[in-house]
Amino acid sequence: ASMSLVMIVLLQSLACMPVVIEGLAITLLLVCFIPMVCTALLFSTSSEKIIKEIPEKRSEERARGKTNRMFVLYALRFAPTAIASLAVFVAYLHYSFDYRLTE
């Protein structure tokens, strides 16, 4: 999770884009949110049926024939969110540049 934040900040600075995540938000994520999630995962109860559950290899073998279908479903679920996020970011850029030009 912290590597993702580092990559976001690095790409933002390399592309000379406005700040996507403020320093306070990054600190909040690294100090509060990520440790809470990790603690919840560490103290969750283990499954008693772990041996009887389907291993990952078998589920991958079943899914190989459905690769195109899975790709299309993933794209249909991901595309609206990505487009909406991009639209909000572009609208914010337009608003911030327009505001600075009128000052």
Side-chain angles (χ1 to χ4, degrees):
S2 59
M3 287 302 293
S4 299
L5 292 173
V6 168
M7 289 303 296
I8 289 171
V9 172
L10 178 69
L11 291 175
Q12 166 234 314
S13 64
L14 289 176
C16 297
M17 298 180 83
V19 178
V20 177
I21 300 177
E22 297 287 333
L24 183 62
I26 291 174
T27 306
L28 184 68
L29 282 171
L30 290 175
V31 174
C32 296
F33 184 71
I34 293 174
M36 285 191 321
V37 171
C38 292
T39 306
L41 289 174
L42 284 174
F43 289 110
S44 64
T45 58
S46 61
S47 173
E48 297 293 330
K49 299 183 280 182
I50 193 73
I51 301 297
K52 296 177 183 177
E53 292 177 359
I54 298 174
E56 195 64 34
K57 289 181 182 177
R58 286 190 184 172
S59 63
E60 285 178 12
E61 289 172 4
R62 287 187 208 157
R64 274 196 194 143
K66 303 176 187 177
T67 306
N68 292 336
R69 182 174 180 263
M70 288 173 49
F71 178 73
V72 169
L73 288 176
Y74 176 76
L76 288 175
R77 289 191 327 204
F78 177 71
T81 306
I83 291 170
S85 299
L86 185 63
V88 167
F89 189 68
V90 168
Y92 173 75
L93 283 178
H94 175 71
Y95 173 75
S96 64
F97 283 136
D98 189 43
Y99 178 75
R100 299 220 179 194
L101 290 174
T102 57
E103 283 185 347

